[in-house]
């Protein structure tokens, strides 16, 4: 900390005293001058007004008898007052009746009668005009103008007084400040010097010397006492600091050990998470690969019109497809649940129109409700101008699951009703799904969201995995909402979801969210259309299934290759219209093979569709980013398989229902 020097303190002290005194005296002098000026003005106006009244009264008779000479004689009496420069009497019409000019006044000072009474005061002149009345009737006007030399003299005298007072007060203030210097400045400078030493050296043993018993002496005592306390605290603080440093070193060592353990645990967790992800991906692929052949060939057996199955075998085949689809659904939901729990699952929340989402789900679920003879009621008018902030795909998944459960776990000829509400705080939208099923006991309500817990429904003929509600609950939480249930045995159940309210969509955003794919039964090729397709697949069963599917489409010719390198050579040689390619193949996988096809001039414009049992979202996204035109997951669903090929080929294939 830097302190001022002895000289600067003295100068500042003198300046403060002189400035304070000067300002106070100057203000007093100015007020005195203003007071004198005001009182002088009031006196001058009062005297001149009285004089005007006397002259006016003396001139009234002259005005009545039109005796201007008498009026002049009256005005000439004003020459005894050396202040008067001019005076005039006006008749009723405003003409000058009589006038008087002093020797030092300007000629023709009166040109016209003033419009009203005048009281004009300046530093040079005072102009007074009053009406002349007789028996309360105005018969003329008297006007007198006087110079203000006395005022100018007064102002000069006041200015001189102010100047002399300021000079004398400055001298007195300087002498007083010199006297105060020895009484106040020296102790303050001594104290300032000690403060500077303490601040610069951090030495709290320094003390100031007391030389007086007045307030300054008391201040120095308080300063020394403050240093005593600071010195005591400094000693205590130093001891505490030493102990704290020891503790910090000890805890730092422990923390380093803990961080090292945490880093190792994190690495192990990341490895375990990566291993789990790879395991899920591998399991998905390994489970879907045999399912592809099972469901694919079963579909072809049912579709075969040349060698149709008998009724018993058709029933058996339908059971195989039904069980296979149930197993596939179970695989998908297990993978979804595992991805959610491992943090590899994400949602994309956007503003969406709830009516559009409900319309799509109802279109899909209505056949199921009709099949089970369940009355499905949903008034679409209640969704007008209702928007939600959610992931449309995942929200449809949740709504579909809740409606499907309401239909499956219902009483014969029961009903499911959908009701929409806005919460009281107007921050969320609530959807209620009310069914007339058998209801759920209150002690089991907490168990319905546990994975694989179907509340003994697995003992019935109703299909289900026991994972759907658990996934729905987690999806709603990820979208910022919730899923709740209320139920009464013998009455029914009410499942409700609540999600954040959204904002209206812009015009360009108001498009169909995910148009439903048409269910294709046949593919018709025009007579002049011949399509060559190349299928690269190392699994013999999968290769045979695709060959069997394409065999029913005469206009499509299929060539195949069990290895990627051979497939690339066939593509160069035959230039097919489309390439179907597996991802997981020995020697060269599908990504490497795709890159080779993209680099070759003969094949870089051929559309390539990935056909893989890797059905996780990250696998599909990775394939599309690599350049695959489309993606077909195994097990192959024949209608979807044909639809994807048709979309990829564009107008080359005409599809009919």
């Amino acid at each position: 900390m830097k302190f001022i020097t002895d000289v600067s303190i003295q100068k500042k002290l003198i300046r403060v005293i002189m400035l304070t005194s000067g300002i106070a005296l100057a203000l007093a002098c100015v007020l005195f001058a203003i007071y004198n000026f005001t009182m002088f003005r009031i006196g001058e106006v009062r005297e001149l007004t009285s004089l005007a009244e006397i002259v006016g009264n003396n001139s009234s008779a002259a005005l009545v008898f039109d005796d201007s000479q008498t009026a002049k004689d009256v005005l000439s009496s004003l020459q005894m007052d050396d202040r008067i420069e001019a005076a005039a009497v006006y008749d009723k019409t405003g003409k000058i009746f009589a006038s008087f000019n002093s020797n030092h006044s300007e000629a023709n000072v009166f040109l016209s009668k003033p419009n009203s009474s005048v009281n004009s005061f300046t530093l040079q002149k005072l102009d007074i005009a009053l009406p002349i009345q007789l028996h309360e009737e105005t018969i003329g006007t008297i006007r007198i103008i006087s110079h203000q030399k006395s005022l100018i003299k007064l102002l000069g005298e006041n200015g001189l007084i102010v100047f002399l007072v300021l000079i004398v007060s400055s001298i007195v203030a300087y002498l007083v400040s010199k006297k105060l210097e020895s009484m106040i400045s020296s102790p303050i400078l001594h104290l300032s010097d000690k403060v500077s030493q303490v601040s610069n050296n951090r030495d709290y043993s320094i003390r100031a010397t007391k030389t007086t018993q007045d307030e300054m002496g008391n201040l120095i005592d308080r300063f020394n006492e403050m240093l005593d306390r600071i010195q005591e605290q400094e000693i205590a603080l130093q001891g505490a600091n030493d102990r704290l440093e020891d503790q910090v070193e000890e805890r730092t060592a422990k923390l380093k050990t803990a961080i090292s353990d945490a880093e190792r645990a994190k690495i192990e967790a990341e490895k375990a998470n990566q291993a789990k992800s790879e395991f899920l991906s591998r399991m998905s692929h390994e489970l879907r690969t045999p399912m592809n052949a099972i469901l694919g060939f079963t579909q072809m057996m049912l579709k075969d019109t040349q060698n149709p199955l008998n009724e018993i075998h058709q029933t058996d085949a339908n059971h195989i497809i039904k069980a296979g689809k149930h197993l596939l659904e179970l695989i998908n939901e297990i993978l979804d649940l595992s991805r959610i729990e491992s943090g590899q699952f994400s949602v994309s929340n956007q503003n969406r129109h709830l009516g559009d989402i409900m319309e799509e789900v109802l279109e899909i679920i209505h056949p199921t409700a009709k099949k089970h003879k369940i009355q499905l009621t949903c008034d679409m008018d209640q969704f007008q101008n209702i928007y939600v902030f959610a992931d449309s795909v995942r929200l449809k998944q949740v709504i579909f699951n809740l409606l499907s459960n309401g239909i499956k776990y219902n009483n014969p000829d029961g009903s499911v009703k959908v009701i929409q509400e806005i919460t009281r705080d107007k921050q969320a939208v609530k959807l209620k799904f009310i069914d007339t099923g058998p209801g759920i006991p209150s002690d089991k309500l907490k168990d319905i969201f546990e994975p694989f817990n179907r509340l003994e429904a697995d003992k019935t003929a109703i299909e289900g995995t026991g994972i759907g509600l658990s996934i729905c609950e987690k999806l709603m939480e990820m979208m910022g909402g919730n899923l709740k249930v209320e139920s009464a045995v013998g009455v029914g159940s009410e499942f409700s979801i609540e999600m954040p309210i959204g904002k209206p969509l812009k015009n360009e955003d108001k498009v169909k969210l995910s148009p439903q794919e048409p269910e294709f039964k046949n593919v018709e090729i025009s007579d002049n259309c011949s399509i060559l397709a190349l299928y690269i697949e190392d699994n013999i069963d999968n290769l045979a299934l695709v060959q069997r599917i394409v065999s029913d489409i005469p206009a499509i010719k299929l060539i195949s290759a069990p290895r990627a390198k051979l497939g690339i050579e066939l593509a160069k040689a035959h230039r097919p219209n489309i390439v179907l390619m597996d991802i997981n193949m020995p020697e060269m996988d599908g990504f490497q093979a795709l890159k080779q096809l993209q680099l070759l001039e003969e094949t870089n414009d051929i559309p390539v569709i990935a056909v893989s049992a890797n059905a996780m979202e990250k696998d599909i996204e990775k394939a599309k980013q690599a350049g695959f035109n489309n993606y077909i997951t195994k097990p192959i669903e024949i209608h979807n398989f044909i639809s994807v090929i048709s979309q990829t080929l564009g107008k080359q294939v005409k599809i009919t229902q």
Side-chain angles (χ1 to χ4, degrees):
M1 181 177 180
K2 185 177 179 181
F3 289 89
I4 55 178
T5 62
D6 297 359
V7 176
S8 63
I9 288 180
Q10 295 175 13
K11 289 182 178 179
K12 284 190 176 183
L13 183 60
I14 294 173
R15 288 172 184 172
V16 168
I17 295 174
M18 294 183 66
L19 182 61
T20 304
S21 302
I23 292 175
L25 287 171
L27 182 60
C29 292
V30 169
L31 292 175
F32 174 74
I34 292 173
Y35 174 78
N36 282 347
F37 174 79
T38 303
M39 296 306 296
F40 180 84
R41 175 180 174 179
I42 293 172
E44 284 290 297
V45 171
R46 184 183 296 117
E47 289 182 13
L48 201 60
T49 300
S50 298
L51 185 59
E53 289 177 352
I54 295 171
V55 173
N57 291 334
N58 293 336
S59 302
S60 59
L63 284 171
V64 171
F65 295 104
D66 194 20
D67 186 359
S68 61
Q69 184 59 43
T70 302
K72 289 181 179 179
D73 293 340
V74 173
L75 292 176
S76 63
S77 64
L78 296 174
Q79 65 184 348
M80 301 300 293
D81 192 339
D82 59 357
R83 295 177 300 170
I84 307 301
E85 288 190 353
V89 175
Y90 301 86
D91 60 15
K92 283 184 183 181
T93 62
K95 294 181 180 180
I96 297 177
F97 183 71
S99 64
F100 163 77
N101 289 337
S102 66
N103 294 331
H104 53 270
S105 65
E106 298 177 359
N108 300 324
V109 68
F110 300 110
L111 298 178
S112 62
K113 176 187 176 183
N115 294 330
S116 60
S117 298
V118 175
N119 185 355
S120 175
F121 191 99
T122 66
L123 291 176
Q124 288 79 28
K125 293 181 180 182
L126 174 59
D127 190 348
I128 296 293
L130 296 174
I132 301 174
Q133 294 182 334
L134 183 63
H135 303 300
E136 297 182 356
E137 179 185 356
T138 301
I139 60 176
T141 303
I142 176 67
R143 183 177 183 184
I144 299 176
I145 299 176
S146 68
H147 65 76
Q148 297 298 303
K149 294 180 180 179
S150 299
L151 175 61
I152 295 174
K153 181 180 179 182
L154 177 64
L155 291 176
E157 292 174 352
N158 286 341
L160 179 60
I161 292 173
V162 169
F163 176 75
L164 293 175
V165 169
L166 288 177
I167 292 296
V168 172
S169 64
S170 297
I171 295 173
V172 172
Y174 178 78
L175 295 175
V176 171
S177 65
K178 296 295 290 183
K179 181 63 176 177
L180 291 176
E181 178 184 345
S182 60
M183 297 173 60
I184 300 176
S185 300
S186 297
I188 290 178
L189 289 174
H190 172 69
L191 185 61
S192 173
D193 180 62
K194 296 302 180 183
V195 171
S196 178
Q197 293 179 28
V198 172
S199 175
N200 294 333
N201 303 326
R202 301 285 182 178
D203 184 1
Y204 299 106
S205 63
I206 297 174
R207 297 294 182 268
T209 303
K210 180 179 178 181
T211 58
T212 61
Q213 299 298 325
D214 55 7
E215 288 80 1
M216 286 303 305
N218 188 39
L219 176 62
I220 290 175
D221 287 339
R222 301 288 83 76
F223 175 74
N224 290 334
E225 290 175 4
M226 180 186 68
L227 290 178
D228 290 339
R229 294 191 182 95
I230 293 176
Q231 187 175 17
E232 292 173 0
Q233 293 176 359
E234 180 72 11
I235 295 172
L237 184 62
Q238 184 62 42
N241 187 53
D242 294 339
R243 292 191 298 272
L244 182 60
E245 287 181 356
D246 295 338
Q247 293 178 359
V248 168
E249 290 180 0
E250 180 182 355
R251 294 184 180 181
T252 300
K254 293 181 179 179
L255 184 59
K256 288 181 179 179
T257 303
I259 291 175
S260 178
D261 294 340
E263 288 178 348
R264 285 195 296 270
K266 180 182 177 183
I267 294 173
E268 293 298 326
E270 289 176 350
K271 289 181 179 179
N273 195 34
Q274 181 66 25
K276 182 179 180 180
S277 178
E278 293 175 357
F279 171 76
L280 291 175
S281 180
R282 175 59 61 183
M283 282 297 297
S284 174
H285 181 272
E286 295 301 326
L287 291 173
R288 285 174 176 273
T289 298
M291 288 299 299
N292 182 49
I294 294 171
L295 293 178
F297 281 110
T298 305
Q299 291 177 77
M300 295 306 301
M301 291 170 61
L302 289 171
K303 187 176 177 292
D304 193 344
T305 57
Q306 296 182 355
N307 301 296
L309 298 175
N310 58 42
E311 185 175 351
I312 295 177
H313 290 162
Q314 285 184 2
T315 301
D316 294 341
N318 283 324
H319 282 307
I320 294 174
I321 290 180
K322 184 177 180 181
K325 288 184 176 180
H326 178 69
L327 179 58
L328 187 61
E329 179 183 358
L330 179 61
I331 293 171
N332 291 335
E333 292 190 347
I334 290 175
L335 292 175
D336 281 347
L337 184 62
S338 299
R339 282 185 294 158
I340 291 174
E341 291 179 345
S342 63
Q344 299 177 0
F345 196 93
S346 62
V347 296
S348 178
N349 293 334
Q350 296 178 343
N351 292 308
R352 293 301 183 192
H353 188 262
L354 185 56
D356 292 343
I357 294 175
M358 287 301 306
E359 185 178 358
E360 292 186 35
V361 176
L362 291 174
E363 184 179 349
I364 300 172
I365 203 68
H366 262 302
T368 304
K370 186 177 181 181
K371 176 182 177 182
H372 288 78
K373 298 180 180 181
I374 299 298
Q375 181 181 0
L376 181 57
T377 305
C378 181
D379 183 6
M380 295 303 296
D381 291 339
Q382 64 182 321
F383 299 111
Q384 289 185 0
N385 300 321
I386 301 298
Y387 297 86
V388 294
F389 188 70
D391 186 314
S392 59
V393 174
R394 299 307 172 190
L395 181 56
K396 284 188 290 184
Q397 179 180 346
V398 172
I399 295 174
F400 181 85
N401 189 288
L402 295 178
L403 287 175
S404 178
N405 286 347
I407 292 171
K408 290 191 300 182
Y409 301 102
N410 211 318
N411 291 319
D413 300 321
S415 65
V416 177
K417 188 175 183 180
V418 182
I419 299 176
Q420 176 270 135
E421 294 178 355
I422 302 295
T423 56
R424 290 184 179 180
D425 58 3
K426 300 187 183 302
Q427 298 297 314
V429 179
K430 190 173 186 178
L431 276 184
K432 296 181 179 180
F433 303 89
I434 305 171
D435 65 59
T436 58
I440 306 171
S442 58
D443 60 332
K444 294 185 178 181
L445 283 177
K446 64 179 183 300
D447 300 329
I448 62 173
F449 295 112
E450 293 182 2
F452 305 106
N453 192 338
R454 298 187 62 202
L455 302 184
E456 299 184 356
D458 51 352
K459 298 179 181 179
T460 66
I462 302 174
E463 294 182 355
T465 62
I467 308 176
L469 284 177
S470 179
I471 294 177
C472 289
E473 183 185 37
K474 296 181 186 303
L475 287 177
M476 289 307 303
E477 291 176 356
M478 294 177 69
M479 290 187 288
N482 59 65
L483 169 59
K484 297 180 180 179
V485 60
E486 296 179 3
S487 186
V489 176
V491 177
S493 302
E494 177 185 305
F495 286 83
S496 63
I497 58 174
E498 193 173 297
M499 67 215 90
I501 199 166
K503 298 179 181 179
L505 302 175
K506 299 178 182 178
N507 291 332
E508 59 266 24
D509 295 333
K510 294 180 180 179
V511 296
K512 192 102 172 137
L513 296 181
S514 57
Q516 295 297 315
E517 301 289 350
E519 293 187 3
F520 300 101
K521 295 182 179 179
N522 296 300
V523 178
E524 294 182 356
I525 311 298
S526 58
D527 295 337
N528 59 351
C529 178
S530 180
I531 299 170
L532 179 63
L534 169 63
Y535 185 29
I536 305 174
E537 170 66 73
D538 65 312
N539 187 287
I540 297 177
D541 293 333
N542 293 336
L543 184 60
L545 174 60
V546 173
Q547 289 174 338
R548 180 70 179 84
I549 295 172
V550 175
S551 67
D552 287 345
I553 309 174
I556 297 182
K557 181 180 179 182
L558 181 71
I559 57 176
S560 59
R563 294 290 185 273
K565 291 183 180 180
L566 176 59
I568 294 171
E569 294 299 323
L570 291 176
K572 288 171 58 179
H574 296 282
R575 303 285 297 276
N577 301 101
I578 192 169
V579 175
L580 307 172
M581 181 154 37
D582 187 24
I583 297 294
N584 296 321
M585 293 183 292
E587 298 179 0
M588 180 186 295
D589 63 22
F591 292 104
Q592 296 170 326
L594 174 65
K595 188 173 183 180
Q596 291 293 325
L597 293 175
Q598 292 171 337
L599 294 175
L600 294 173
E601 183 178 354
E602 299 91 342
T603 59
N604 58 14
D605 59 345
I606 300 175
V608 182
I609 299 176
V611 183
S612 175
N614 296 333
M616 300 181 74
E617 289 183 5
K618 64 181 183 66
D619 298 321
I620 299 174
E621 185 63 27
K622 179 181 177 182
K624 290 183 177 180
Q625 290 179 356
F628 282 97
N629 297 82
N630 225 319
Y631 200 99
I632 298 175
T633 59
K634 300 174 184 176
I636 294 175
E637 202 283 319
I638 295 177
H639 295 156
N640 179 64
F641 178 82
I642 298 174
S643 171
V644 172
I645 293 177
S646 302
Q647 291 175 358
T648 306
L649 291 174
K651 295 182 179 180
Q652 288 181 316
V653 178
K654 179 182 178 183
I655 311 250
T656 60
Q657 297 289 346

